[in-house]
Amino acid sequence: MIERPRTRALVEMVTTLAKALDLDVVAERVETEAQFQALIAMGCHHFQGYHLSRPLSFADAM
């Protein structure tokens, strides 16, 4: 996402639209610190992906 200008523009547009509609945005496949920081700067507040945690079993998630 960070390296591809068109993809970054699309993510920024969707995030801006969601904020205007008072919707939550969940960013998926966050794999690097750079992606995480860019998404925070865009106003994203919910994330999932390898940067934050490897997949967990149901028991480990509870």
Side-chain angles (χ1 to χ4, degrees):
M1 183 231 10
I2 303 303
E3 301 81 18
R4 295 180 171 182
R6 289 180 141 189
T7 302
R8 184 184 182 110
L10 182 60
V11 171
E12 289 175 344
M13 181 186 70
V14 169
T15 303
T16 299
L17 178 61
K19 287 193 305 189
L21 296 173
D22 197 30
L23 299 171
D24 288 335
V25 177
V26 178
E28 297 181 349
R29 294 187 66 192
V30 180
E31 298 180 1
T32 68
E33 181 65 21
Q35 290 173 341
F36 184 63
Q37 292 302 323
L39 289 161
I40 289 172
M42 289 179 204
C44 211
H45 297 104
H46 305 284
F47 312 90
Q48 73 177 49
Y50 281 104
H51 178 66
L52 303 167
S53 174
R54 298 287 178 190
L56 302 172
S57 69
F58 179 78
D60 290 339
M62 301 311 287

